[in-house]
Structures are given as C-alpha cells and as structure tokens.
Amino acid sequence: GQAIIEPKPCMTSKNPEFAIWGDSYAMHLVPGLMLDPKIRDSLFQITKSACGPILGIASLDSRYNEKWAKGCLNFNEQAIQLIRNSESIRYVIMSSPFDGYFSSGKLSLYYEGGKVVGDRSIAINQMVATIKELQNYGKHPILVTPPPRAGFNIGECWERRNSGLLLGRTSCDFTTDEYHSFQSAIIDAINEVERRTKVDVVRLDDVICNNGYCKTAINKISIYRDGGHLSIPGSQWLVPQINFLN
C-alpha cells in the first residue's frame, strides 16, 4: 500500500458521498457501515494497516520502520488528494487507535523527513491541521474514537469463557474506570482535537459503556476480536446505532 493507484475496487459507487480513511480501526467499522443503505451504496474505503489518518507524521516501532513510515505518509497524501479532488465526497469518517500518536510520554515518530522522539503534541497538531484542511475543502470530517479498552485481550477472554476455561478475570466486561485509566491520554487528545477544530466526534463508549460498565458481548458473542478491534458481529451490532449524519 505505498499509494492508491486504482481506487475503483475500493468504491461502492462511481460518485461516493462517504470516504472512510484510516487504519485497521477504520476497517473494522466497514461491516457495520455496510448495513446502512445510504453509506453502503456510496462508500470509498481508503485504509492502510497501522497508518493513522494524520498528514505528515507516522508512528514508529519495532514492526514499522522509517521506510514503512514514508509509505504511510505517501499513502495519506494520496488519500487527501483523492478526497479533495472528489466532487461527490462530502463526509470523511476517520479512525485509528491513535496509540503511537496520542499516548503520553516519549513517542518515536517519523516527522519532517526523519525519526524524532517527541511527545503527543506533535501528532495532535498534525491531526488538527489534517481536519482543518478537510474542512477548508468543504468536506465534513467525522472522527471516530477507538472502542473502549482495558489492557487485556477481550476476544480471547470470551473464547476462554465460552470454552469453560479460566479467564484470569472475574468477567470479560470491564469498568469505565478501567477504561478511562487505560486510555486517558487518547481520550484527552481527542477532546483537544475536538476543541480546536469543532470536528464531529463519534465516541464508541457512548454505546458500549453504561452505568459504570463497558459490555463486551451480545448474547455471549464477543463484540471484540482482540484487545481493541471490533469483531464482525460487534461492528454489525455497534455501528448501525450511530448517526453519522448529525
């Protein structure tokens, strides 16, 4: 995925109204989006694993090196050019876990042509600039948070529970306190981006969490496939409850 050479296979319409841009946390929304006829028949998927929808920056770690990061930056430049040049695209749904971008502490980033070690303010500023650029093109960006997480593999927990094995926990659900503690930096960063850009933010915890607890399964079918991604049944249950056209 160095660049988007041929967008047609990723479109459900010649003139899509919706684009979904991001990494695997954008991809996992697609099964649910496909249940909405308005979106299903007018969607352009622009996704690359581990490459958040933020211009000019990429997260580096042991699996993703500087060569990969250059490809991520190139992909995102191609993405925004396609969005900008499309007369039909009105809504741009954006998502990522944002771990390597918005976490607290020192982060290893590819930025301005090389590796830098900095804090999350760099990525927050780039996210703000990306959203403002979309807004300046007359597009309507919609930022979707990652699902709430608590630091354990939820999908595996449900596999073990449904197989009668020990969980290592009393439940595969978790409290909102656990979630807020584990993801506080991501939550704070998204709140800052929202404050600075007035972007519409879809918070998945509004659906998943209630009365102090975050539910992780419907009828014993996990809505997560691992520690953070939605399962296909989870996406199909969760996403239709969201109104993306507010």
Side-chain angles (χ1 to χ4, degrees):
Q2 291 293 310
I4 306 167
I5 306 299
E6 178 53 69
K8 285 183 181 177
C10 303
M11 292 180 172
T12 62
S13 164
K14 289 181 180 178
N15 298 297
E17 187 178 2
F18 297 86
I20 183 159
W21 178 22
D23 51 35
S24 58
Y25 277 65
M27 297 177 200
H28 74 179
L29 301 173
V30 172
L33 291 171
M34 295 301 282
L35 297 180
D36 183 323
K38 184 174 175 60
I39 297 177
R40 178 188 66 215
D41 298 332
S42 195
L43 183 64
F44 184 9
Q45 181 176 335
I46 313 172
T47 52
K48 178 178 172 66
S49 290
C51 183
I54 309 176
L55 295 173
I57 195 168
S59 173
L60 297 170
D61 62 26
S62 59
R63 293 172 299 168
Y64 299 102
N65 60 18
E66 291 180 49
K67 181 180 178 182
W68 174 88
K70 291 178 185 177
C72 174
L73 265 63
N74 183 46
F75 178 90
N76 281 333
E77 283 297 334
Q78 295 268 336
I80 202 158
Q81 286 174 27
L82 283 164
I83 292 167
R84 180 187 63 211
N85 293 336
S86 168
E87 293 182 4
S88 63
I89 292 173
R90 294 176 58 203
Y91 300 96
V92 183
I93 300 166
M94 309 164 72
S95 197
S96 168
F98 297 114
D99 285 341
Y101 300 93
F102 293 164
S103 294
S104 56
K106 296 298 181 184
L107 302 172
S108 182
L109 302 164
Y110 187 85
Y111 179 62
E112 293 187 334
K115 179 180 178 180
V116 300
V117 176
D119 63 26
R120 63 191 188 150
S121 65
I122 300 172
I124 290 172
N125 288 338
Q126 290 301 116
M127 182 89 250
V128 167
T130 302
I131 288 170
K132 287 184 175 180
E133 190 166 333
L134 287 168
Q135 291 168 334
N136 288 340
Y137 297 152
K139 309 301 181 182
H140 185 134
I142 301 165
L143 186 57
V144 181
T145 68
R149 293 176 288 161
F152 67 98
N153 190 320
I154 303 159
E156 182 182 51
C157 184
W158 274 103
E159 284 182 13
R160 294 180 67 85
R161 177 172 174 171
N162 290 334
S163 301
L165 300 172
L166 291 172
L167 304 182
R169 291 176 56 90
T170 56
S171 169
C172 296
D173 294 339
F174 50 91
T175 66
T176 51
D177 286 345
E178 286 180 276
Y179 154 53
H180 290 145
S181 174
F182 185 72
Q183 285 189 280
S184 61
I186 312 293
I187 295 167
D188 289 347
I190 290 173
N191 288 343
E192 181 178 340
V193 171
E194 179 185 34
R195 193 164 55 245
R196 290 170 60 183
T197 64
K198 304 296 188 285
V199 67
D200 284 346
V201 176
V202 170
R203 292 179 169 82
L204 298 185
D205 56 310
D206 286 347
V207 179
I208 293 173
C209 306
N210 191 31
N211 295 326
Y213 283 88
C214 301
K215 59 185 173 186
T216 59
I218 303 298
N219 298 325
K220 296 188 177 180
I221 298 172
S222 179
I223 62 175
Y224 292 79
R225 67 174 168 86
D226 52 25
H229 292 92
L230 296 172
S231 63
I232 291 175
S235 179
Q236 292 172 333
W237 168 79
L238 173 64
V239 176
Q241 299 183 60
I242 299 163
N243 180 7
F244 287 96
L245 304 178
N246 281 339

